Amino acid sequence: MSGRPVLIAGAGISGLLLAQHLQQLGVPYQLFEQDSAIDARSGGWGLTLHWALPALRELLPDHLVARLPETYVNKAAAARGDTGRFQFFDLQTGSALYSVPAEERIRVSRVRLRQLLATDLDVQWNKTLQNIESSSDSVTAHFADGSSYTGCLLIGCDGSRSRAREVLYPEGHEMSPLPVQLLGGAALYSPEEMGGAEKIDPFIFQGSHPETDVFFFFSLLDTPNNFEESSKDKYLCQIIISWADAKNIPVPSDNAERIALMKSLTENWVQPFKGLVHNLPESTEARSIRIADWMFQPVQSPAHPRVVLMGDSAHTMTMFRGEGANNAIVDVLDLTKRVDLRSVGSLSTEGLREGLTAYENDVFTRAEPSVVNSRQACLDAHDFSRIINGSPLVSARLRK
């Protein structure tokens, strides 16, 4: 059994980081991803890394730590030590009501971070996990293309719609939707179209209107000359607005109508926030996202003792506190501290399960408050009165 690899289902942040660490240790692994390539579903998202940065540096080889700036959305700001202020604005008056401090914080491109983490890794693409079969001393992953692979441990890193989660929690794997509608898109803006937004914060800011409770999130995804392939004179911006279902505003299926809706909902906003929405080109893809979350329970599956979840598969949380990626990174570190990965292939099922149980308890203790706070932050974002009285939406992000 000692020669059997660790099977990793999913090449997201946690799956790639785990594979990098196993490769450093010389532990055999097989990494599977349902997408066809690393950038198949980039989605135009950024990630804010803060309390997980020490763990990230501990897990990665030094040469990849040195290359982390290749992922930054604003390398110039990061180089001067600017961690941003992550301010929250009253969109009726333009007043900054809160800022969220951080000793260290960087904003990265999700697709660039995945590309960096995939360096020198053997990823098997187009592999959609279909089923899991367990025996007394091994686990076999079956994929939709008919292939099967057997290992000593299977780690489900396959995201918020995790098939591994379905297998482990057949009666309770579905996510819990929140009563919130969200529309967002990304576009290139000239300095004139930015209206000075780049001076507010070099990374991200947010706000809400006290009369309509429509929420706004702004993120820089790239800055002029940030990379060789970056625009020479424009900013790549992510624009998101959201509102509570109670407003009874349906999301149109037509893209042009979605852009028009975003602009109509922000007509009474003060500048530059109004302009950031109204300058969206009609050709922008306006994506509709239904917010939902899920949190695993650390209960051993007797049928699959060598299977465990990690990252979004274990704890899907809303984007309103930016803690999903941070928890996913520390998941990997917690596993390394609870399971001797160098000898994982020779561990008895009982010995392995003891370490996995300790890992699951660590993850639950840390991530469950993040899921709860992120859910509350999402609800509060669409009720201005809750925000001004204090909310997880505007409180500091700290590792529990």
Side-chain angles (χ1 to χ4, degrees), residues 305-362:
R306 290 177 173 268
V307 182
V308 74
L309 302 178
M310 180 176 284
D312 284 350
S313 304
H315 42 68
T316 304
M317 55 193 76
T318 79
M319 53 159 278
F320 288 81
R321 278 182 59 84
E323 293 197 278
N326 289 272
N327 274 284
I329 290 167
V330 179
D331 285 353
V332 181
L333 185 63
D334 282 349
L335 182 68
T336 68
K337 295 186 181 303
R338 292 299 190 175
V339 177
D340 183 359
L341 295 174
R342 286 187 174 89
S343 61
V344 65
S346 59
L347 289 175
S348 67
T349 298
E350 182 181 35
L352 176 61
R353 194 62 241 178
E354 182 179 348
L356 292 179
T357 298
Y359 156 77
E360 289 182 323
N361 288 333
D362 289 343

Side-chain angles (χ1 to χ4, degrees), residues 120-157:
D120 298 327
L121 294 182
D122 179 15
V123 183
Q124 298 189 51
W125 304 101
N126 296 304
K127 292 288 187 180
T128 301
L129 183 65
Q130 191 171 53
N131 203 5
I132 300 171
E133 184 180 1
S134 296
S135 69
S136 60
D137 61 358
S138 67
V139 59
T140 300
H142 299 280
F143 294 90
D145 63 1
S147 62
S148 298
Y149 301 83
T150 298
C152 61
L153 170 64
L154 189 152
I155 304 175
C157 305

